[in-house]
Amino acid sequence: MGTSVQVTPLCGVYNENPLSYLVSIDGFNFLVDCGWNDHFDPSLLQPLSRVASTIDAVLLSHPDTLHLGALPYAMKQLGLSAPVYSTEPVYRLGLLTMYDQYLSRKQVSEFDLFTLDDIDSAFQSVTRLTYSQNHHLSGKGEGIVIAPQVAGHLLGGTVWKITKDGEDVIYAVDFNHRKERHLNGTVLGSFVRPAVLITDAYNALNNQPYRRQKDKEFGDILKKTLRAGGNVLLPVDTAGRVLELILMLESYWADENLNYPIYFLTYVASSTIDYVKSFLEWMSDSIAKSFEKTRENIFLLKYVTLLINKTELDNAPDGPKVVLASMASLEAGFSHDIFVEWANDVKNLVLFTERGQFATLARMLQADPPPKAVKVVVSKRVPLVGEELIAYEEEQNRIKKEALKASLMKEEELKTSHGVDNNTSDPMVIDSGNNHVSPEVAGPRGGGYWDIFIDGFVPPSTSVAPMFPCYENTSEWDDFGEVINPDDYVIKDEDMDQAAMHVGGDINGKLDEGAASLILDTKPSKVVSDERTVQVRCSLVYMDFEGRSDGRSIKNILSHVAPLKLVLVHGSAEATEHLKQHCLKHVCPHVYAPQIEETIDVTSDLCAYKVQLSEKLMSNVLFKKLGDYEIAWVDAVVGKTENDTLSLLPVSGAAPPHKSVLVGDLKLADIKQFLSSKGVQVEFAGGALRCGEYVTLRKVGDASQKASASSAHLLILRIFRKLIIF
């Protein structure tokens, strides 16, 4: 049998819900993507909760909420503890995305599904890989190799290639074959006949116009709105497709010489752009070449101003403006608040560049026809004052006293159970709220009082006298001084990550100062909410800048890849069924579209065996160098060793002759270089290789070429056969 492969969808099939799938390869369980939606609905994660403890590794494909939003919650609440793998941009930008999500919700609700510490803890387990880097798993995953490949769509976006015993399992969702301003197209088309391909049907029914046409319409509608005195709101994600939109606006403003202000408003706007500036090697080839020539970073923005709080936008000069604000769903964040303020003005425009998530305000506004009024909940966090503040402080003091009392009682029980050691110092107990003299210290003794005032120090009742711990120095010394352990001074990766969490102006800081101030603000506060009916008089326009391959391109790519077995996920029921029927006719006979928690077996029909090459066989093998490799033809018989394992043994008699075998991809350019090194005059002419005066070589498949039998012809044939045939 071939490599055993089972696929179980946990979320995101026959609908547009977040992506999360269990892929088991010979018993090794991969969780491929761990997404959540902007509602953060825990019920979506119930299938994941039932298998979280059995997962051996997590693969993340894109740095947005739909692909990694549930990772902190799963590791905190569901028992997920497996190592995580992603590219560097997915790690960094995904981390900022989750920060922005948390801060956006913390300002309008008592959000408690996860904290910033939970986000940091989850992302500390991420191993970062580069494109095409083969990572060999160990232990239970011995023999499995994972490698991220270019997906397009988002910066660092990944097509995952999982290989075992020569069979490839490809996971490719949300890919884009088109080259964009800051991203190369996907390499999915370079894979041929993988054993299993898992892909999505999200865009199977959509066909996109040409890029130039879209860009022109985008610029025209912006310019029309701004010149009419209106404002433009673009609800965007935190660190994904917004990067392409920013470059579009920068280019259009420069070409049209416009001076209307553009603002990029998220809690982590500055950190996002700072990180992106260092990811040029992950972007398109044109950006890398431009940087090599001019040394100018394309994300040194000239027209876009970065903002990290709404107050900065409110203080901006009056007049038409363009604002890119998170979140794209309009469920929370700055975009929600700005929409409520601007929706009532007919001159304003809300321009959606991606389909809103299901059951969100953005999706509701994208309906045809759009609603004339919507009900929204407007919430904000305000500081406590008056009686509420007094009640809060009293409650906090009560909680502190109870915690201190419980700690002291636990310490007493511990001392009682283990006995008292008078030779060691007792630990001190700090009570910041206790500024009076302890009765044990200030009590009467011989008609007087100890002249001691201890602030915040409560000595245990078993102590002989209050004192700080004293530890004897037991360091070892030699002729050169104190003996040290070099490992104590090595800076570990996790320590560097922790240091990078501190707020700062350099690129190592993960949070902007404004976002950090929200975290450090410990003033007592509460959330005040009210429901409003917003009259939608502004213009609402949807233009597809999602950066995904459209239906026509998806079908062409799948036909070219021609997987042995195909699994369809993530897409509406109509789109999934449409693509399934197309693939059954034109791609492969084995197409699956499983339901949630339905396990399908897509094990390859091929048979693969592990065999050993005996020393006796290898001693008689003649290798020939081919490029960077050495190859050989082997004639052998299959036998068994003393350990009862399969082995290839030499044939007993003379080996039978074999036909010539073509190895590798025949390229005329390589032949030209080789013939030139042998003294043959060669040149390209009309798509063919002219060799000398009488011989012309043309690549026409497997057919051989005929020419006059001159001496030069015979020499070329001998060299040609030596080059590609063994």
Side-chain angles (χ1 to χ4, degrees):
M1 289 295 293
T3 301
S4 173
V5 182
Q6 287 84 35
V7 178
T8 307
L10 303 177
C11 188
V13 291
Y14 284 101
N15 54 42
E16 299 174 7
N17 282 340
L19 297 87
S20 183
Y21 311 101
L22 181 67
V23 179
S24 179
I25 299 180
D26 282 348
F28 189 90
N29 294 328
F30 287 99
L31 175 63
V32 192
D33 282 332
C34 187
W36 217 350
N37 60 13
D38 278 10
H39 289 298
F40 289 98
D41 181 6
S43 64
L44 289 175
L45 305 183
Q46 289 182 2
L48 174 58
S49 66
R50 289 188 274 271
V51 299
S53 60
T54 67
I55 291 170
D56 300 301
V58 181
L59 306 180
L60 302 178
S61 61
H62 293 284
D64 61 356
T65 311
L66 287 175
H67 294 85
L68 53 73
L71 187 64
Y73 182 84
M75 288 196 165
K76 176 185 179 183
Q77 302 288 356
L78 305 184
L80 179 63
S81 58
V84 184
Y85 299 91
S86 77
T87 60
E88 182 72 22
V90 169
Y91 163 74
R92 294 291 180 185
L93 301 182
L95 185 65
L96 292 175
T97 296
M98 295 311 299
Y99 280 162
D100 197 31
Q101 287 279 15
Y102 173 82
L103 293 170
S104 296
R105 277 153 181 77
K106 197 64 178 176
Q107 292 305 301
V108 296
S109 66
E110 301 298 340
F111 188 78
D112 60 355
L113 293 176
F114 53 82
T115 66
L116 291 173
D117 289 337
D118 297 328
I119 297 173
D120 291 334
S121 177
F123 278 83
Q124 280 178 0
S125 61
V126 175
T127 299
R128 282 94 83 182
L129 306 176
T130 59
Y131 282 145
S132 302
Q133 175 185 349
N134 290 326
H135 182 80
H136 297 260
L137 302 182
S138 58
K140 184 180 177 181
E142 185 70 33
I144 298 178
V145 181
I146 59 175
Q149 305 290 341
V150 178
H153 182 51
L154 301 182
L155 184 59
T158 304
V159 168
W160 282 104
K161 177 184 176 183
I162 309 172
T163 305
K164 185 172 185 184
D165 295 336
E167 296 187 17
D168 295 334
V169 177
I170 307 297
Y171 175 79
V173 297
D174 294 330
F175 57 85
N176 187 13
H177 70 289
R178 295 184 179 183
K179 184 177 179 180
E180 298 186 285
R181 287 173 176 80
H182 80 296
L183 293 176
N184 286 324
T186 182
V187 299
L188 177 59
S190 65
F191 299 115
V192 180
R193 304 289 289 172
V196 181
L197 172 61
I198 305 170
T199 191
D200 67 300
Y202 185 80
N203 248 11
L205 297 176
N206 297 335
N207 291 317
Q208 300 172 350
Y210 291 108
R211 173 177 157 179
R212 286 187 179 180
Q213 179 183 345
K214 286 198 308 179
D215 291 356
K216 183 178 184 303
E217 293 175 355
F218 178 80
D220 289 346
I221 195 169
L222 288 180
K223 189 162 58 174
K224 179 180 178 182
T225 303
L226 294 170
R227 287 180 173 174
N231 298 316
V232 180
L233 170 64
L234 284 83
V236 295
D237 52 17
T238 302
R241 294 301 303 170
V242 65
L243 302 178
E244 181 74 9
L245 295 175
I246 286 175
L247 293 185
M248 286 180 59
L249 291 170
E250 285 273 322
S251 175
Y252 189 79
W253 253 238
D255 294 342
E256 298 292 326
N257 196 25
L258 301 177
N259 56 5
Y260 299 106
I262 307 173
Y263 300 106
F264 177 34
L265 175 60
T266 73
Y267 285 106
V268 292
S270 299
S271 295
T272 299
I273 299 302
D274 283 343
Y275 275 127
V276 169
K277 289 176 184 176
S278 66
F279 290 149
L280 297 185
E281 72 272 19
W282 296 87
M283 298 184 191
S284 64
D285 297 335
S286 59
I287 288 180
K289 291 179 181 178
S290 175
F291 181 75
E292 290 177 359
K293 291 181 179 179
T294 65
R295 310 307 293 177
E296 290 186 5
N297 195 309
I298 195 170
F299 279 95
L300 288 173
L301 306 177
K302 300 178 181 178
Y303 300 98
V304 178
T305 303
L306 307 180
L307 305 181
I308 54 178
N309 60 63
K310 180 79 163 35
T311 305
E312 292 180 320
L313 179 64
D314 295 336
N315 293 334
D318 294 334
K321 62 180 72 69
V322 177
V323 178
L324 301 93
S326 61
M327 301 293 170
S329 64
L330 292 179
E331 285 298 302
F334 297 122
S335 63
H336 176 274
D337 299 337
I338 296 173
F339 169 76
V340 172
E341 294 180 12
W342 292 1
N344 196 37
D345 192 336
V346 295
K347 294 186 296 184
N348 294 335
L349 167 68
V350 178
L351 178 56
F352 298 99
T353 57
E354 61 182 74
R355 272 173 283 177
Q357 297 177 24
F358 181 74
T360 62
L361 178 58
R363 189 62 166 262
M364 188 186 310
L365 295 171
Q366 292 171 17
D368 188 16
K372 296 182 179 180
V374 292
K375 288 185 177 181
V376 299
V377 176
V378 179
S379 304
K380 62 179 180 179
R381 186 171 290 277
V382 297
L384 296 180
V385 294
E387 295 181 357
E388 289 182 328
L389 179 59
I390 295 173
Y392 173 84
E393 292 176 343
E394 290 177 351
E395 178 66 14
Q396 292 300 309
N397 289 333
R398 184 187 65 80
I399 294 174
K400 289 181 180 179
K401 289 180 180 179
E402 289 181 356
L404 176 62
K405 184 177 179 181
S407 176
L408 291 174
M409 290 178 63
K410 185 176 181 180
E411 182 186 344
E412 291 295 332
E413 292 174 0
L414 192 64
K415 286 183 174 296
T416 304
S417 60
H418 293 282
V420 180
D421 186 1
N422 292 328
N423 295 326
T424 60
S425 302
D426 292 311
M428 70 174 181
V429 181
I430 300 298
D431 177 16
S432 59
N434 183 14
N435 293 328
H436 62 273
V437 182
S438 174
E440 290 87 350
V441 178
R445 181 177 181 184
Y449 290 86
W450 289 100
D451 189 15
I452 299 176
F453 181 79
I454 303 175
D455 185 9
F457 180 79
V458 180
S461 58
T462 55
S463 298
V464 177
M467 65 176 292
F468 289 96
C470 178
Y471 301 100
E472 184 178 353
N473 187 0
T474 58
S475 302
E476 297 182 5
W477 295 76
D478 58 16
D479 294 340
F480 300 96
E482 182 180 354
V483 178
I484 65 170
N485 181 9
D487 293 338
D488 295 339
Y489 299 89
V490 175
I491 302 177
K492 300 179 181 179
D493 292 340
E494 54 266 26
D495 295 334
M496 295 180 67
D497 288 339
Q498 286 289 340
M501 289 166 54
H502 292 292
V503 178
D506 57 6
I507 196 169
N508 291 325
K510 294 181 182 176
L511 285 178
D512 308 283
E513 291 184 7
S517 65
L518 294 175
I519 302 169
L520 301 176
D521 186 6
T522 58
K523 296 178 181 178
S525 61
K526 67 176 181 179
V527 175
V528 178
S529 302
D530 68 285
E531 185 174 308
R532 303 180 189 175
T533 299
V534 177
Q535 300 298 322
V536 183
R537 295 189 175 92
C538 65
S539 300
L540 301 173
V541 176
Y542 167 68
M543 302 181 68
D544 185 357
F545 285 97
E546 293 179 334
R548 293 182 173 95
S549 294
D550 60 4
R552 181 176 57 251
S553 302
I554 290 172
K555 294 170 185 175
N556 291 337
I557 292 173
L558 293 181
S559 299
H560 176 75
V561 175
L564 300 179
K565 296 187 178 181
L566 177 64
V567 182
L568 298 179
V569 297
H570 197 237
S572 66
E574 183 183 2
T576 302
E577 193 61 30
H578 170 81
L579 188 58
K580 179 180 179 180
Q581 295 304 320
H582 171 84
C583 293
L584 284 171
K585 292 181 181 179
H586 303 287
V587 178
C588 68
H590 304 287
V591 182
Y592 306 87
Q595 299 285 351
I596 295 293
E597 295 189 280
E598 176 190 353
T599 299
I600 57 170
D601 191 337
V602 287
T603 300
S604 172
D605 298 328
L606 301 176
C607 294
Y609 301 92
K610 291 184 178 180
V611 296
Q612 294 181 349
L613 301 178
S614 64
E615 294 183 4
K616 189 174 181 181
L617 172 69
M618 296 303 295
S619 62
N620 296 321
V621 172
L622 179 61
F623 284 93
K624 291 186 177 181
K625 190 171 182 61
L626 181 66
D628 296 332
Y629 302 93
E630 291 185 350
I631 60 175
W633 183 278
V634 176
D635 293 289
V637 294
V638 179
K640 288 189 176 182
T641 63
E642 297 178 355
N643 299 330
D644 209 29
T645 58
L646 295 179
S647 177
L648 292 183
L649 306 172
V651 294
S652 56
H658 62 83
K659 295 182 179 180
S660 300
V661 178
L662 177 65
V663 179
D665 184 19
L666 180 62
K667 296 181 180 179
L668 292 179
D670 295 337
I671 298 175
K672 176 180 182 296
Q673 183 179 0
F674 186 83
L675 292 177
S676 298
S677 67
K678 299 299 180 180
V680 179
Q681 184 178 359
V682 291
E683 63 178 356
F684 281 109
L689 189 64
R690 180 175 295 174
C691 310
E693 186 176 353
Y694 301 103
V695 180
T696 299
L697 294 177
R698 181 178 289 105
K699 186 176 180 181
V700 292
D702 295 332
S704 58
Q705 301 297 311
K706 294 183 179 180
S708 59
S710 64
S711 58
H713 181 200
L714 296 177
L715 172 62
I716 292 169
L717 285 180
R718 285 197 298 269
I719 295 176
F720 187 65
R721 291 177 62 85
K722 183 178 179 182
L723 174 65
I724 65 172
I725 297 174
F726 72 96

